Amino acid sequence: MPWWRRSPHNDTGGDLLKVSVIGAGTMGSGIAQVFAMAGDETTLIDIYKEALQKGKANIERSLQKLGEKSALSTEPDKILSSITFSSSLDSCKDSSLIVEAVFERLDIKKDIFSKIAEIISPGTIIASNTSSISINLLSSYVKEPENFIGMHFFNPPPIMKLVEIVKGRRTSESVTKKIGDISRSLGKDPVFVNDYPGFISNRVLMPMLRESIISLEQGIASVEDIDKTVKLGLNHPMGPLTLCDFIGNDVVYDIMTVLFNEFGDPHYKPPVLLRNMVFSGKLGRKTGEGFYKY
Ligand code: 3HC
């Protein structure tokens, strides 16, 4: 019998998975929701109380949508109340799995890993939801690199099926397999990739977003027509500029910066238009304005 409790959706039984998600932003709150929907004992941690409140509201909205479609096996309220919201890192003490989903800033991640190292028990798996920072580098900040792995979810986590599981050179085979099994128990369909800049998803996505922004910068077409081209001509669910606003232009800028620095390839160089938008607070949906107004 596996050591974590399987999702009630595939009632195979098993032990309880106690999971803490650190960072209550869009991704962290969505990831916590995914674990809670699978019946796992979930704690969402953020040192900023305001972020926790926003995260809770995100989860509430999303559960309501899913509830209206009868896509949940449990009442939305019950799922929401099963999540512990905490502003103290100490709350991850007894977790068997910790998912880090804080800002894409190395110093912040490093600080979190050094703090939780003093709290957690040996054998705890730490998974990072980083979208571009090296898993091998991050694993050098933890005590047990064999128990460290990338678990890259996609926005919105409750809807998107993929988890990109990123193996560091020191990640053990057994941890890789466990995270694959856990991802499936969450109703996700994982892929396994080795640590390389941008993994697969962002290595492929970022040049497309960049070319779309540069097409706008060069006056080739309007925001709407660039999006329409990709939506209707290439059959993507969202146009690339809508997607930038959806991901967050600051996040897109940070990922492109990491990839440009790592590969040295101009195909990843953040466009000046994107830089200027980020510096002027046009981050997309979350600030009410990006390529579009919300
Ligand atoms: N929670 C619950 N349900 C949600 C939801 C959420 N957070 N967001 C959307 N939905 C539901 C809606 O209620 C709707 O349900 P219905 O079809 O039963 O009415 C359904 O999903 C479709 O939503 P909408 O009608 O509002 O809009 P769309 O049809 O455009 O779908 C979308 C929304 C699923 C987000 C779709 O546009 C999409 O797949 N977009 C692309 C998303 C994407 O590419 N994500 C990856 C970004 S890259 C990333 O995350 C990696 C990082 O490292 C950058």
Side-chain angles (χ1 to χ4, degrees), residues 87-115:
S87 56
S88 164
L89 274 180
D90 288 341
S91 306
C92 70
K93 190 166 171 268
D94 302 318
S95 300
S96 41
L97 170 66
I98 293 173
V99 181
E100 171 276 307
V102 301
F103 296 111
E104 282 292 87
R105 287 251 314 268
L106 193 55
D107 53 338
I108 300 178
K109 290 186 193 283
K110 194 175 170 182
D111 184 49
I112 299 267
F113 294 141
S114 67
K115 283 184 177 141

Side-chain angles (χ1 to χ4, degrees), residues 93-95 119-124 144:
K93 190 166 171 268
D94 302 318
S95 300
I119 302 168
I120 59 175
S121 319
T124 307
E144 298 176 328

Side-chain angles (χ1 to χ4, degrees), residues 12-186:
T12 45
D15 297 334
L16 181 76
L17 175 65
K18 211 169 170 190
V19 57
S20 289
V21 179
I22 303 177
T26 310
M27 294 307 291
S29 60
I31 295 167
Q33 178 186 338
V34 169
F35 280 100
M37 288 190 324
D40 294 315
E41 196 178 328
T42 309
T43 302
L44 179 59
I45 302 171
D46 201 302
I47 52 167
Y48 298 105
K49 292 208 166 114
E50 199 184 313
L52 267 184
Q53 273 161 10
K54 270 194 183 166
K56 191 173 181 179
N58 279 346
I59 297 174
E60 208 168 353
R61 259 195 313 274
S62 172
L63 286 173
Q64 196 179 335
K65 276 187 195 172
L66 295 169
E68 282 163 9
K69 286 189 285 183
S70 309
L72 300 172
S73 56
T74 317
E75 288 297 302
D77 285 356
K78 221 169 155 191
I79 297 173
L80 186 66
S81 60
S82 75
I83 303 173
T84 304
F85 295 87
S86 168
S87 56
S88 164
L89 274 180
D90 288 341
S91 306
C92 70
K93 190 166 171 268
D94 302 318
S95 300
S96 41
L97 170 66
I98 293 173
V99 181
E100 171 276 307
V102 301
F103 296 111
E104 282 292 87
R105 287 251 314 268
L106 193 55
D107 53 338
I108 300 178
K109 290 186 193 283
K110 194 175 170 182
D111 184 49
I112 299 267
F113 294 141
S114 67
K115 283 184 177 141
I116 61 174
E118 306 307 318
I119 302 168
I120 59 175
S121 319
T124 307
I125 298 177
I126 304 177
S128 174
N129 179 56
T130 182
S131 43
S132 58
I133 299 177
S134 164
I135 293 302
N136 286 308
L137 175 61
L138 292 177
S139 77
S140 67
Y141 304 135
V142 302
K143 279 188 185 160
E144 298 176 328
E146 65 279 18
N147 292 328
F148 189 85
I149 195 160
M151 200 177 183
H152 185 205
F153 287 82
F154 293 81
N155 191 15
I159 300 287
M160 302 296 280
K161 291 290 281 181
L162 187 70
V163 176
E164 195 174 33
I165 296 176
V166 189
K167 283 161 47 176
R169 292 187 81 109
R170 290 183 292 178
T171 309
S172 77
E173 282 306 317
S174 66
V175 164
T176 307
K177 184 179 176 308
K178 270 178 195 168
I179 292 298
D181 290 343
I182 289 171
S183 301
R184 287 183 204 98
S185 81
L186 298 172

